[in-house]
Amino acid sequence: LVNSNVSVVIIGAGPAGLTLALQLNKAGIDCIVLEKHTRQYIETRTRAGVIEQNSLDVFEKLGVADRMKREGLRHNGIYLSFEGVRHHIDFGKYLNDKAITIYGQQEVIKDLVHACLDRNVALEFEASVTGILDIDGATLKVFFERDGVSQAMNCNFVAGCDGFHGVSRSAAPISTCHVYEKEYPFNWLGILADVPPSSPELIYAFHKNGFALHSMRSPSISRFYLQVADNEDLSNWSDQRIWEELALRLQAENFQLKIGFIKDKSLTPVRSFMIDHMQFGNLFLAGDAAHIVPPTGGKGLNLAVADAVTLYQGLFDYFHKGIKSTLLSYSSRRLASVWRVQEFSDFMTNLFHLSSPIDSFEHRLQKARFTYITTSEAASKSIAENYVGI
Ligand SMILES: Cc1cc2nc3c(=O)[nH]c(=O)nc-3n(C[C@H](O)[C@H](O)[C@H](O)COP(=O)(O)OP(=O)(O)OC[C@H]3O[C@@H](n4cnc5c(N)ncnc54)[C@H](O)[C@@H]3O)c2cc1C
């Protein structure tokens, strides 16, 4: 690969990078994906699980949605719960046949990697990018290491799809940008358990001990999250304590929590991050490399896919029509949508997390917001529309 040339170098084989690679491949635009981890590592990493209708449509067009549609769980609604009072948001009632699909991110990655290899997309594992040079020039140089050997590639464009902790954002002149950050004062303790879901659809719950989310990955695997302190230590949470706390926080009439073997336990920070540019010369940032949303709205993976689609449209116009304006409008088109999602994710986070004492002014506002949702068709419809994806 030393000093070879390619039109687009994609850094990172996450949802953003792989979706972009498959689109470019379909359009006959040559690209290479450089991924620092092994195939096995990225295909087993437990992360998101809510696939919006828009993302499913993208995967269908790319011919990678067969297993997702066969094995994924199609949900036509979600439950919202506040201090034991449950309210159902029925997507079908407001949005015709739009729905979400529950399908683990690691399964999405397996499908996308399989399609890439099947279609001869150049995909290099254990190739860790160390730097990018000349982002404003016609030829960019991407440096990476594999098997302890430093290598370099030339390209016309770099798609930085390497997540929040990747290298591509550091190659951009971030100091000239406006950065927006919000750290929420709590973490999520997430578990994956070998137990059938206790509910047919997701439950978002506010309880005086904090937020809980009941999600699932398949008819036999459930995923749960608990709000915990931001300095929490996992060792403080025995399996028994986790199940007791979930049972308490998800409590509602006729609800019985099913308990099973916990096979994965992790802590996730809850934060927001934005920059006011996603393009720097011929370097484009996509997905978590460009923005982070709190996980409460189930949007991280879906934003990554949507970024990849818009970036692909710009690259297609450039390579096939000689038009650069679509590519140049990438930042402005995506930022407007990402801010919309930031607002919704922040709204869901504030609605369901405990951040002030019970009976404080803030708690009363949360309660008033929830009551409004339960009594207003317009409020319920707004949640449905944002949750399924605008
Ligand atoms: C623990 C956890 C739980 C989450 N849970 C949820 C959830 O429940 N719901 C939700 O919507 N979202 C969730 N998210 C967020 C969601 O997973 C991300 O938004 C999504 O993965 C973003 O996709 P991406 O392609 O932008 O980046 P990523 O999926 O992060 O992919 C980036 C890739 O780049 C690679 N890479 C990094 N640096 C380099 C380098 N120097 N060289 C080469 N490759 C590199 C990484 O190995 C990785 O494979 C979670 C995230 C985490 C970390």
Side-chain angles (χ1 to χ4, degrees), residues 150-390:
S150 298
Q151 306 190 44
M153 290 196 81
N154 295 326
C155 60
N156 304 112
F157 297 103
V158 171
C161 305
D162 47 349
F164 189 60
H165 301 289
V167 292
S168 38
R169 203 172 57 250
S170 56
I174 293 293
S175 57
T176 61
C177 298
H178 197 150
V179 174
Y180 307 83
E181 284 178 276
K182 181 169 174 178
E183 292 283 338
Y184 295 81
F186 38 76
N187 281 346
W188 274 20
L189 190 166
I191 63 159
L192 197 64
D194 278 328
V195 62
S198 308
S199 162
E201 289 168 352
L202 276 75
I203 307 169
Y204 286 81
F206 173 92
H207 182 271
K208 67 179 171 53
N209 287 7
F211 167 74
L213 171 59
H214 178 3
S215 182
M216 58 290 289
R217 288 294 178 265
S218 75
S220 58
I221 299 177
S222 297
R223 181 106 169 112
F224 296 93
Y225 295 98
L226 285 169
Q227 174 187 352
V228 295
D230 53 1
N231 57 357
E232 191 59 80
D233 192 333
L234 259 189
S235 62
N236 292 333
W237 287 84
S238 65
D239 292 7
Q240 189 187 348
R241 182 177 176 203
I242 291 173
W243 288 120
E244 281 172 6
E245 199 59 30
L246 283 168
L248 196 66
R249 295 190 195 182
L250 292 167
Q251 204 172 48
E253 216 178 312
N254 298 325
F255 177 77
Q256 186 70 43
L257 182 70
K258 293 179 189 144
I259 288 169
F261 173 68
I262 298 178
K263 56 182 183 181
D264 187 68
K265 234 186 247 187
S266 61
L267 287 172
T268 308
V270 181
R271 65 175 160 231
S272 296
F273 175 89
M274 291 289 281
I275 16 173
D276 60 356
H277 286 78
M278 291 170 65
Q279 180 207 347
F280 303 89
N282 290 320
L283 164 67
F284 294 81
L285 303 181
D288 280 11
H291 42 68
I292 292 286
V293 292
T296 326
K299 297 294 180 196
L301 181 157
N302 298 293
L303 280 178
V305 171
D307 286 353
V309 170
T310 305
L311 181 51
Y312 160 70
Q313 288 162 350
L315 291 167
F316 180 90
D317 280 2
Y318 178 80
F319 283 107
H320 286 307
K321 300 183 190 165
I323 298 170
K324 202 167 181 186
S325 55
T326 320
L327 206 44
L328 294 176
S329 65
Y330 169 71
S331 261
S332 56
R333 288 162 73 199
R334 284 311 300 149
L335 284 171
S337 302
V338 182
W339 273 115
R340 172 71 229 118
V341 171
Q342 282 287 4
E343 194 285 327
F344 177 66
S345 303
D346 183 71
F347 166 81
M348 289 288 280
T349 305
N350 291 333
L351 182 59
F352 289 109
H353 287 75
L354 181 77
S355 52
S356 306
I358 294 298
D359 221 22
S360 62
F361 182 76
E362 186 53 41
H363 170 243
R364 284 308 182 108
L365 285 183
Q366 286 173 286
K367 210 169 178 162
R369 282 182 201 121
F370 180 77
T371 306
Y372 175 53
I373 293 162
T374 61
T375 51
S376 158
E377 288 281 320
S380 288
K381 184 176 179 183
S382 168
I383 294 204
E385 179 178 68
N386 280 278
Y387 200 87
V388 168
I390 291 181

Side-chain angles (χ1 to χ4, degrees), residues 12 15-16 35-37 45 47-48 105 129 162 225 288 298-300:
E35 165 57 51
K36 79 170 173 185
H37 286 296
R45 197 166 35 180
R47 294 169 96 182
Q105 180 166 335
V129 173
D162 47 349
Y225 295 98
D288 280 11
K299 297 294 180 196

